[in-house]
Amino acid sequence: MTSTPLGTAIVTQVAIVVKDIEAAIAAWSTLLGVPQPNVIVTDTVDQAHTEYKGRSTPARAKLAFFPLGQVTLELIEPLGEPSTWNDQLVAHGQSLHHIAFQVKGMQARVDELTEHGMHLVQRGDYTGGRYAYVDGQERFGAVVELLEND
Amino acid sequence: MTSTPLGTAIVTQVAIVVKDIEAAIAAWSTLLGVPQPNVIVTDTVDQAHTEYKGRSTPARAKLAFFPLGQVTLELIEPLGEPSTWNDQLVAHGQSLHHIAFQVKGMQARVDELTEHGMHLVQRGDYTGGRYAYVDGQERFGAVVELLEND
């Protein structure tokens, strides 16, 4: 599948931006009948090298992950700004934020997706990998997250 | 898992509302490297018994489904109004609309989810089954679709 722009057709994550992650974790945990996951806080900008709209940003987020089979449900509470997480929460309220795919060769993927009408809005590193959000709202109707683990 | 409010913890569908389903199908098909699915039009209200906010509605939608492993990516172009599909498109533009779960015992699930802060916004029938959208935006950050096949 590496000859396609994305290189995969398997969705691995669906994410929601929320105002209060602890409250959302409790609600989803009860709904799904699964244990409450731990809250993870994204790294500070010196470690995560977070960029939003091409500029370094101190924005962070609290994250929680529910494994639901092939797909992980991710909850995201924005901390600080500017970020795609915070902008969406302000503009649209609590809402689905992105679907994610695992990729190989992040920069090449981002470049190729640009040719298909998706543009990079935010990127950053985490322990063992990196992410990029590409905005495909106009052509695809959604933001897509690319995840690359080393 | 039937003792939990939802009765399942497996996401089976992620859906996006779009303005032009043919254009969105072409874009996603290229992105994912998969064949273009057919467009399905939902049944008329006399067959689908579509209700939105407790009232019968003539609203319909064009649908297309991409099988992406455990999860199906659904594209939805609203036809007519009022519907949850059209309201979201007008209010928020093209965007992720819901995540779906397969359930058994639709009415009992809807009643139980109401107790957990999700309220029924739209329901209808399709050949071989029925659906309900329950709005959990305030507590869960997303609309959830329940699907029940006979």
Side-chain angles (χ1 to χ4, degrees), chain A residues 35-79:
Chain A
Q36 293 195 14
N38 293 329
V39 173
I40 298 161
V41 181
T42 61
D43 289 327
T44 51
V45 62
D46 58 305
Q47 287 190 291
H49 312 109
T50 315
E51 290 183 14
Y52 181 54
K53 295 182 176 176
R55 294 188 172 194
S56 179
T57 174
R60 300 169 73 186
K62 290 184 182 177
L63 310 177
F65 299 91
F66 289 89
L68 304 182
Q70 169 191 304
V71 170
T72 300
L73 176 67
E74 179 183 19
L75 303 179
I76 305 171
E77 179 189 327
L79 295 176

Short mmCIF file of all heavy atoms in Angstrom, two decimals, chain A residues 35-79:
data_model
loop_
_atom_site.label_atom_id
_atom_site.label_comp_id
_atom_site.label_asym_id
_atom_site.label_seq_id
_atom_site.Cartn_x
_atom_site.Cartn_y
_atom_site.Cartn_z
N PRO A 35 -11.99 -0.21 32.21
CA PRO A 35 -11.30 0.55 33.25
C PRO A 35 -10.95 1.97 32.79
O PRO A 35 -10.79 2.22 31.60
CB PRO A 35 -10.01 -0.26 33.49
CG PRO A 35 -10.29 -1.61 32.93
CD PRO A 35 -11.24 -1.42 31.81
N GLN A 36 -10.83 2.86 33.76
CA GLN A 36 -10.43 4.24 33.44
C GLN A 36 -8.94 4.28 33.10
O GLN A 36 -8.11 3.89 33.90
CB GLN A 36 -10.71 5.17 34.62
CG GLN A 36 -12.19 5.34 34.93
CD GLN A 36 -12.48 6.53 35.83
OE1 GLN A 36 -11.62 7.38 36.03
NE2 GLN A 36 -13.68 6.58 36.37
N PRO A 37 -8.59 4.76 31.92
CA PRO A 37 -7.17 4.89 31.57
C PRO A 37 -6.52 6.05 32.32
O PRO A 37 -7.19 6.95 32.80
CB PRO A 37 -7.21 5.20 30.06
CG PRO A 37 -8.53 5.85 29.84
CD PRO A 37 -9.48 5.22 30.85
N ASN A 38 -5.19 5.99 32.43
CA ASN A 38 -4.45 7.09 33.04
C ASN A 38 -4.46 8.31 32.13
O ASN A 38 -4.59 8.19 30.92
CB ASN A 38 -2.99 6.68 33.28
CG ASN A 38 -2.87 5.60 34.33
OD1 ASN A 38 -3.67 5.53 35.26
ND2 ASN A 38 -1.87 4.74 34.17
N VAL A 39 -4.27 9.47 32.75
CA VAL A 39 -4.11 10.70 31.98
C VAL A 39 -2.63 10.92 31.69
O VAL A 39 -1.79 10.80 32.60
CB VAL A 39 -4.67 11.92 32.74
CG1 VAL A 39 -4.35 13.21 32.01
CG2 VAL A 39 -6.18 11.76 32.94
N ILE A 40 -2.32 11.17 30.45
CA ILE A 40 -0.95 11.47 30.02
C ILE A 40 -0.91 12.94 29.63
O ILE A 40 -1.83 13.42 28.96
CB ILE A 40 -0.58 10.61 28.80
CG1 ILE A 40 -0.61 9.12 29.16
CG2 ILE A 40 0.78 11.02 28.23
CD1 ILE A 40 -0.71 8.20 27.95
N VAL A 41 0.14 13.65 30.03
CA VAL A 41 0.28 15.05 29.61
C VAL A 41 1.38 15.11 28.55
O VAL A 41 2.46 14.53 28.74
CB VAL A 41 0.62 15.97 30.80
CG1 VAL A 41 0.74 17.42 30.33
CG2 VAL A 41 -0.45 15.84 31.88
N THR A 42 1.11 15.76 27.45
CA THR A 42 2.11 15.84 26.37
C THR A 42 3.34 16.60 26.88
O THR A 42 3.26 17.42 27.80
CB THR A 42 1.56 16.54 25.11
OG1 THR A 42 1.17 17.88 25.46
CG2 THR A 42 0.35 15.79 24.56
N ASP A 43 4.47 16.34 26.25
CA ASP A 43 5.73 16.95 26.69
C ASP A 43 5.74 18.46 26.45
O ASP A 43 4.99 18.98 25.62
CB ASP A 43 6.90 16.32 25.92
CG ASP A 43 7.16 14.88 26.33
OD1 ASP A 43 6.96 14.55 27.51
OD2 ASP A 43 7.59 14.09 25.46
N THR A 44 6.60 19.12 27.21
CA THR A 44 6.79 20.56 26.99
C THR A 44 7.45 20.79 25.63
O THR A 44 8.02 19.88 25.03
CB THR A 44 7.69 21.15 28.10
OG1 THR A 44 8.87 20.34 28.19
CG2 THR A 44 6.98 21.14 29.43
N VAL A 45 7.33 22.01 25.14
CA VAL A 45 7.74 22.31 23.76
C VAL A 45 9.23 22.01 23.50
O VAL A 45 9.60 21.63 22.38
CB VAL A 45 7.40 23.78 23.40
CG1 VAL A 45 8.15 24.76 24.29
CG2 VAL A 45 7.64 24.05 21.93
N ASP A 46 10.07 22.13 24.53
CA ASP A 46 11.50 21.84 24.32
C ASP A 46 11.73 20.37 24.00
O ASP A 46 12.67 20.02 23.29
CB ASP A 46 12.32 22.26 25.56
CG ASP A 46 11.83 21.56 26.83
OD1 ASP A 46 10.62 21.67 27.13
OD2 ASP A 46 12.64 20.90 27.49
N GLN A 47 10.84 19.50 24.49
CA GLN A 47 10.95 18.07 24.18
C GLN A 47 10.08 17.67 23.00
O GLN A 47 10.46 16.84 22.19
CB GLN A 47 10.54 17.24 25.40
CG GLN A 47 11.55 17.23 26.53
CD GLN A 47 11.19 16.19 27.58
OE1 GLN A 47 10.21 16.36 28.29
NE2 GLN A 47 11.97 15.13 27.67
N ALA A 48 8.89 18.25 22.92
CA ALA A 48 7.92 17.84 21.88
C ALA A 48 8.11 18.60 20.57
O ALA A 48 7.63 18.16 19.53
CB ALA A 48 6.50 18.05 22.39
N HIS A 49 8.83 19.73 20.65
CA HIS A 49 9.06 20.54 19.44
C HIS A 49 7.74 20.84 18.73
O HIS A 49 7.65 20.76 17.50
CB HIS A 49 10.04 19.84 18.49
CG HIS A 49 11.28 19.35 19.18
ND1 HIS A 49 11.52 18.02 19.39
CD2 HIS A 49 12.30 20.01 19.75
CE1 HIS A 49 12.66 17.86 20.06
NE2 HIS A 49 13.17 19.07 20.28
N THR A 50 6.74 21.16 19.52
CA THR A 50 5.39 21.36 18.98
C THR A 50 5.34 22.60 18.09
O THR A 50 5.80 23.68 18.48
CB THR A 50 4.38 21.53 20.13
OG1 THR A 50 4.66 20.54 21.12
CG2 THR A 50 2.95 21.39 19.62
N GLU A 51 4.79 22.42 16.90
CA GLU A 51 4.59 23.54 15.98
C GLU A 51 3.13 23.56 15.54
O GLU A 51 2.57 22.54 15.18
CB GLU A 51 5.46 23.39 14.72
CG GLU A 51 6.94 23.57 14.98
CD GLU A 51 7.75 23.48 13.69
OE1 GLU A 51 7.14 23.54 12.60
OE2 GLU A 51 8.97 23.33 13.77
N TYR A 52 2.56 24.75 15.57
CA TYR A 52 1.18 24.95 15.10
C TYR A 52 1.20 26.06 14.06
O TYR A 52 1.73 27.14 14.31
CB TYR A 52 0.28 25.33 16.28
CG TYR A 52 -1.17 25.54 15.92
CD1 TYR A 52 -1.90 24.57 15.23
CD2 TYR A 52 -1.83 26.72 16.26
CE1 TYR A 52 -3.23 24.76 14.90
CE2 TYR A 52 -3.17 26.92 15.94
CZ TYR A 52 -3.86 25.93 15.26
OH TYR A 52 -5.18 26.13 14.92
N LYS A 53 0.66 25.74 12.91
CA LYS A 53 0.66 26.69 11.78
C LYS A 53 2.06 27.23 11.51
O LYS A 53 2.24 28.43 11.26
CB LYS A 53 -0.34 27.83 12.03
CG LYS A 53 -1.78 27.33 12.09
CD LYS A 53 -2.77 28.48 12.29
CE LYS A 53 -4.21 27.96 12.25
NZ LYS A 53 -5.20 29.03 12.54
N GLY A 54 3.04 26.33 11.60
CA GLY A 54 4.41 26.68 11.23
C GLY A 54 5.23 27.37 12.29
O GLY A 54 6.39 27.71 12.05
N ARG A 55 4.64 27.59 13.46
CA ARG A 55 5.39 28.27 14.53
C ARG A 55 5.41 27.43 15.80
O ARG A 55 4.45 26.75 16.12
CB ARG A 55 4.73 29.61 14.87
CG ARG A 55 4.81 30.61 13.75
CD ARG A 55 4.32 31.95 14.25
NE ARG A 55 4.55 32.97 13.24
CZ ARG A 55 4.48 34.27 13.46
NH1 ARG A 55 4.19 34.73 14.67
NH2 ARG A 55 4.71 35.13 12.49
N SER A 56 6.49 27.55 16.53
CA SER A 56 6.61 26.88 17.81
C SER A 56 5.49 27.33 18.74
O SER A 56 5.13 28.51 18.76
CB SER A 56 7.98 27.22 18.42
OG SER A 56 8.11 26.60 19.66
N THR A 57 4.93 26.38 19.50
CA THR A 57 3.87 26.74 20.43
C THR A 57 4.07 26.03 21.76
O THR A 57 4.46 24.85 21.78
CB THR A 57 2.47 26.39 19.88
OG1 THR A 57 1.48 26.66 20.89
CG2 THR A 57 2.37 24.92 19.46
N PRO A 58 3.79 26.74 22.87
CA PRO A 58 3.90 26.10 24.19
C PRO A 58 2.67 25.24 24.53
O PRO A 58 2.64 24.64 25.60
CB PRO A 58 3.99 27.30 25.13
CG PRO A 58 3.21 28.38 24.44
CD PRO A 58 3.44 28.17 22.96
N ALA A 59 1.70 25.20 23.65
CA ALA A 59 0.46 24.47 23.94
C ALA A 59 0.74 23.00 24.22
O ALA A 59 1.59 22.38 23.58
CB ALA A 59 -0.52 24.60 22.78
N ARG A 60 0.02 22.46 25.16
CA ARG A 60 0.11 21.03 25.49
C ARG A 60 -1.30 20.47 25.58
O ARG A 60 -2.28 21.17 25.27
CB ARG A 60 0.87 20.86 26.81
CG ARG A 60 2.28 21.42 26.75
CD ARG A 60 2.92 21.49 28.13
NE ARG A 60 3.29 20.17 28.62
CZ ARG A 60 3.76 19.95 29.86
NH1 ARG A 60 3.89 20.96 30.72
NH2 ARG A 60 4.11 18.73 30.24
N ALA A 61 -1.40 19.21 25.97
CA ALA A 61 -2.72 18.60 26.12
C ALA A 61 -2.65 17.47 27.12
O ALA A 61 -1.62 16.83 27.29
CB ALA A 61 -3.24 18.08 24.78
N LYS A 62 -3.77 17.23 27.80
CA LYS A 62 -3.96 16.01 28.57
C LYS A 62 -4.60 14.99 27.63
O LYS A 62 -5.58 15.32 26.94
CB LYS A 62 -4.90 16.25 29.75
CG LYS A 62 -4.34 17.10 30.87
CD LYS A 62 -5.39 17.12 31.99
CE LYS A 62 -4.97 17.99 33.15
NZ LYS A 62 -6.05 18.04 34.19
N LEU A 63 -4.10 13.76 27.66
CA LEU A 63 -4.60 12.71 26.77
C LEU A 63 -5.01 11.48 27.58
O LEU A 63 -4.41 11.18 28.61
CB LEU A 63 -3.50 12.28 25.78
CG LEU A 63 -2.78 13.35 24.99
CD1 LEU A 63 -1.68 12.71 24.12
CD2 LEU A 63 -3.74 14.15 24.13
N ALA A 64 -6.00 10.78 27.07
CA ALA A 64 -6.37 9.47 27.64
C ALA A 64 -6.79 8.57 26.48
O ALA A 64 -7.41 9.03 25.52
CB ALA A 64 -7.50 9.61 28.64
N PHE A 65 -6.43 7.29 26.59
CA PHE A 65 -6.65 6.36 25.49
C PHE A 65 -7.46 5.14 25.95
O PHE A 65 -7.06 4.45 26.90
CB PHE A 65 -5.31 5.87 24.93
CG PHE A 65 -4.45 6.97 24.38
CD1 PHE A 65 -3.52 7.64 25.18
CD2 PHE A 65 -4.57 7.37 23.05
CE1 PHE A 65 -2.73 8.66 24.67
CE2 PHE A 65 -3.78 8.39 22.53
CZ PHE A 65 -2.86 9.04 23.34
N PHE A 66 -8.56 4.89 25.25
CA PHE A 66 -9.36 3.68 25.48
C PHE A 66 -9.12 2.73 24.31
O PHE A 66 -9.51 3.04 23.18
CB PHE A 66 -10.85 4.01 25.50
CG PHE A 66 -11.33 4.75 26.71
CD1 PHE A 66 -11.32 6.14 26.73
CD2 PHE A 66 -11.81 4.07 27.81
CE1 PHE A 66 -11.79 6.83 27.83
CE2 PHE A 66 -12.28 4.76 28.92
CZ PHE A 66 -12.26 6.15 28.94
N PRO A 67 -8.51 1.56 24.56
CA PRO A 67 -8.35 0.59 23.47
C PRO A 67 -9.69 -0.09 23.19
O PRO A 67 -10.26 -0.73 24.07
CB PRO A 67 -7.32 -0.40 24.03
CG PRO A 67 -7.43 -0.29 25.51
CD PRO A 67 -7.95 1.08 25.82
N LEU A 68 -10.21 0.07 21.96
CA LEU A 68 -11.53 -0.47 21.59
C LEU A 68 -11.39 -1.33 20.35
O LEU A 68 -11.98 -1.06 19.31
CB LEU A 68 -12.51 0.67 21.32
CG LEU A 68 -12.72 1.68 22.45
CD1 LEU A 68 -13.75 2.71 22.04
CD2 LEU A 68 -13.15 0.99 23.73
N GLY A 69 -10.57 -2.39 20.47
CA GLY A 69 -10.32 -3.22 19.30
C GLY A 69 -9.24 -2.58 18.44
O GLY A 69 -8.25 -2.07 18.95
N GLN A 70 -9.45 -2.60 17.14
CA GLN A 70 -8.46 -2.03 16.20
C GLN A 70 -8.25 -0.54 16.43
O GLN A 70 -7.18 0.00 16.18
CB GLN A 70 -8.97 -2.26 14.78
CG GLN A 70 -8.20 -1.50 13.70
CD GLN A 70 -8.95 -1.57 12.36
OE1 GLN A 70 -9.23 -2.65 11.87
NE2 GLN A 70 -9.25 -0.42 11.78
N VAL A 71 -9.31 0.09 16.93
CA VAL A 71 -9.29 1.54 17.08
C VAL A 71 -9.12 1.92 18.54
O VAL A 71 -9.69 1.29 19.43
CB VAL A 71 -10.61 2.14 16.54
CG1 VAL A 71 -10.73 3.60 16.90
CG2 VAL A 71 -10.70 1.95 15.05
N THR A 72 -8.31 2.95 18.78
CA THR A 72 -8.20 3.54 20.10
C THR A 72 -9.01 4.82 20.13
O THR A 72 -8.89 5.64 19.23
CB THR A 72 -6.72 3.86 20.42
OG1 THR A 72 -5.98 2.64 20.38
CG2 THR A 72 -6.58 4.50 21.77
N LEU A 73 -9.84 4.96 21.15
CA LEU A 73 -10.57 6.21 21.35
C LEU A 73 -9.71 7.11 22.21
O LEU A 73 -9.33 6.75 23.32
CB LEU A 73 -11.91 5.94 22.04
CG LEU A 73 -12.74 7.18 22.40
CD1 LEU A 73 -13.23 7.89 21.16
CD2 LEU A 73 -13.91 6.80 23.30
N GLU A 74 -9.37 8.28 21.67
CA GLU A 74 -8.49 9.21 22.39
C GLU A 74 -9.29 10.42 22.85
O GLU A 74 -10.04 11.00 22.06
CB GLU A 74 -7.36 9.69 21.44
CG GLU A 74 -6.42 10.69 22.08
CD GLU A 74 -5.36 11.21 21.11
OE1 GLU A 74 -5.55 11.10 19.89
OE2 GLU A 74 -4.34 11.76 21.58
N LEU A 75 -9.12 10.77 24.10
CA LEU A 75 -9.71 12.01 24.62
C LEU A 75 -8.59 13.03 24.78
O LEU A 75 -7.49 12.69 25.22
CB LEU A 75 -10.38 11.76 25.97
CG LEU A 75 -11.47 10.69 26.00
CD1 LEU A 75 -12.03 10.54 27.42
CD2 LEU A 75 -12.59 11.01 25.02
N ILE A 76 -8.86 14.26 24.41
CA ILE A 76 -7.85 15.32 24.41
C ILE A 76 -8.42 16.55 25.11
O ILE A 76 -9.41 17.11 24.65
CB ILE A 76 -7.46 15.74 22.98
CG1 ILE A 76 -7.00 14.53 22.16
CG2 ILE A 76 -6.40 16.83 23.00
CD1 ILE A 76 -6.81 14.85 20.67
N GLU A 77 -7.75 16.97 26.19
CA GLU A 77 -8.12 18.25 26.82
C GLU A 77 -6.97 19.23 26.56
O GLU A 77 -5.85 19.02 27.04
CB GLU A 77 -8.32 18.09 28.33
CG GLU A 77 -8.66 19.41 29.00
CD GLU A 77 -8.66 19.34 30.53
OE1 GLU A 77 -9.01 18.28 31.09
OE2 GLU A 77 -8.28 20.35 31.16
N PRO A 78 -7.23 20.27 25.80
CA PRO A 78 -6.15 21.22 25.50
C PRO A 78 -5.65 21.92 26.78
O PRO A 78 -6.43 22.25 27.66
CB PRO A 78 -6.84 22.26 24.59
CG PRO A 78 -8.10 21.61 24.11
CD PRO A 78 -8.51 20.65 25.18
N LEU A 79 -4.33 22.12 26.82
CA LEU A 79 -3.71 22.92 27.89
C LEU A 79 -2.96 24.06 27.20
O LEU A 79 -2.02 23.82 26.45
CB LEU A 79 -2.71 22.08 28.68
CG LEU A 79 -3.25 20.90 29.49
CD1 LEU A 79 -2.09 20.13 30.13
CD2 LEU A 79 -4.23 21.38 30.57
#
